Amino acid sequence: MTIGELARRTGCGIETIRYYEHEGLLPKPGRTSGNFRRYGQEHAELLSFIRHCRSLDMALSEIRILLRFRSAPDENCGEINALLDIHIGHVEERIAELKSLEGQLRALRDKCRSGRSAEHCGILQGLGGAPDDRGASGDNHVPRTHSTKR
Amino acid sequence: MTIGELARRTGCGIETIRYYEHEGLLPKPGRTSGNFRRYGQEHAELLSFIRHCRSLDMALSEIRILLRFRSAPDENCGEINALLDIHIGHVEERIAELKSLEGQLRALRDKCRSGRSAEHCGILQGLGGAPDDRGASGDNHVPRTHSTKR
DNA sequence: AGACACCCTGTAGTGACTAAAGAGTCAAGC
DNA sequence: GCTTGACTCTTTAGTCACTACAGGGTGTCT
């Protein structure tokens, strides 16, 4: 199947597929005489695996590790458990951060209920002070709030 | 004060201060005869404002809008409210996504409690299928799970 | 005069894509 | 065989908010 068919079948963008190949997550497929990529069922399954992991917000580096285990089925899966536990920890941590953030934002929002001029806007005044320490640990790969993804 | 002093006073990295200047968030300061940046109290307050906004996970583009209101105090602050409401919506949305994610990850984790070989690991098998639609809207600038920030 | 901390500009890297330019290929219809 | 149009190719650059250099200049103290 062509890259376009693979993309349709997996719901993954064509550019993303080429990106995964470049990053070594997908093996280089065969080519037609005209240099088009030719994929088989095994590529579709592998790509679905990767997209599933990504839908669970795993980093590509984590997925790389899982793929290693997937292709070396004799190894003990304790490391897989550990990886997942760490990832769950990251997600929990980010949820806690975002909840704290939401509380702060709501408190700020309550400072300006009316249509006053910006000069007296409680929100701007509330933002003037020193920020609270957000207490992020620094090694959490789970993004906080912004990002434009499909 | 020098850029280093400003950095220490605001808890912001020196490179970040120069980056904000480049991005137009901080006005260009005066310079010494040797071309060193010279900052005053007003710069420190402005930078604290920006860092406070960033600690609330606002995007620089949002902060730029707030700064516009900050320097044009006659304008009505209804837009500020709207901006904050949208941002709170983004954060709420991301929290909901992450909670759903956490549930999925825990379900996956429960598939492998023992130290079996990877060949029979329930986690790898659970990851093989098609991913759930994560239902992200696409215009939420709040990151999901990974990211290495200080 | 030397040492050393600090500062300067400019460039490149991060993660996981996304977009676009400019060219080539494939399949169907005529 | 030719044309059309959809598809694909590679390469490069952009996204966001920084962070990390490299290679040089400045300020201050002894």
Side-chain angles (χ1 to χ4, degrees):
Chain A
M1 91 190 89
T2 66
I3 196 171
E5 287 173 306
L6 180 63
R8 272 189 297 279
R9 208 181 280 198
T10 57
C12 181
I14 287 176
E15 311 293 334
T16 306
I17 294 172
R18 287 197 278 246
Y19 172 71
Y20 288 163
E21 179 184 329
H22 182 253
E23 293 300 302
L25 289 164
L26 276 177
K28 301 200 177 202
R31 300 281 183 139
T32 66
S33 58
N35 202 31
F36 282 21
R37 288 169 179 83
R38 265 308 148 201
Y39 294 100
Q41 184 56 32
E42 73 281 12
H43 291 99
E45 281 165 19
L46 188 53
L47 184 53
S48 290
F49 181 92
I50 295 170
R51 292 309 288 175
H52 196 170
C53 291
R54 283 292 299 138
S55 81
L56 297 174
D57 249 352
M58 294 182 196
L60 293 194
S61 58
E62 293 174 317
I63 297 173
R64 243 181 286 266
I65 295 170
L66 288 182
L67 289 176
R68 197 156 46 76
F69 285 109
R70 199 166 176 268
S71 59
D74 285 343
E75 292 188 50
N76 192 287
C77 71
E79 253 186 84
I80 297 176
N81 288 343
L83 189 71
L84 209 52
D85 285 341
I86 289 172
H87 184 63
I88 290 171
H90 285 164
V91 173
E92 276 180 339
E93 201 183 307
R94 193 64 83 208
I95 289 172
E97 273 183 45
L98 285 177
K99 279 186 179 171
S100 149
L101 200 54
E102 191 192 351
Q104 288 175 58
L105 286 169
R106 289 194 181 284
L108 195 59
R109 179 62 180 84
D110 283 341
K111 292 194 175 176
C112 186
R113 286 269 150 236
S114 64
R116 279 168 291 187
S117 82
E119 192 171 7
H120 304 104
C121 175
I123 293 175
L124 284 183
Q125 279 162 26
L127 281 169
D132 296 350
D133 189 352
R134 72 162 101 169
S137 65
D139 61 347
N140 188 341
H141 61 163
V142 181
R144 231 171 306 266
T145 303
H146 299 144
S147 78
T148 304
K149 293 180 186 171
R150 18 165 266 103
Chain B
M1 93 190 88
T2 67
I3 195 170
E5 287 173 306
L6 180 63
R8 273 190 296 279
R9 207 181 282 198
T10 57
C12 180
I14 287 176
E15 312 291 335
T16 304
I17 294 172
R18 288 198 277 247
Y19 172 72
Y20 287 163
E21 179 184 330
H22 182 254
E23 294 299 302
L25 289 164
L26 276 177
K28 301 199 177 205
R31 300 279 184 141
T32 66
S33 58
N35 203 31
F36 283 21
R37 288 171 179 83
R38 266 306 149 203
Y39 294 99
Q41 185 55 33
E42 71 280 13
H43 290 100
E45 282 165 18
L46 188 52
L47 183 53
S48 290
F49 181 92
I50 295 169
R51 293 308 289 175
H52 195 169
C53 290
R54 283 293 298 138
S55 80
L56 297 174
D57 249 353
M58 293 182 197
L60 294 193
S61 58
E62 292 174 317
I63 298 173
R64 242 182 287 266
I65 294 170
L66 288 181
L67 290 176
R68 196 154 47 75
F69 284 108
R70 200 166 176 266
S71 61
D74 285 343
E75 291 187 49
N76 190 289
C77 69
E79 253 186 83
I80 297 176
N81 288 343
L83 188 71
L84 210 52
D85 285 341
I86 288 172
H87 184 63
I88 290 171
H90 284 165
V91 173
E92 277 179 339
E93 200 183 308
R94 194 64 84 209
I95 289 173
E97 272 183 46
L98 286 176
K99 280 186 179 170
S100 148
L101 200 55
E102 192 192 351
Q104 289 174 59
L105 286 169
R106 290 195 181 286
L108 196 59
R109 180 63 181 83
D110 284 341
K111 293 195 176 177
C112 186
R113 286 270 150 236
S114 64
R116 280 168 290 184
S117 82
E119 193 172 4
H120 304 103
C121 175
I123 293 175
L124 283 184
Q125 280 161 26
L127 281 168
D132 296 351
D133 189 352
R134 74 161 98 170
S137 64
D139 61 347
N140 189 342
H141 61 162
V142 181
R144 233 172 305 268
T145 304
H146 300 143
S147 76
T148 305
K149 293 181 182 170
R150 26 164 262 101

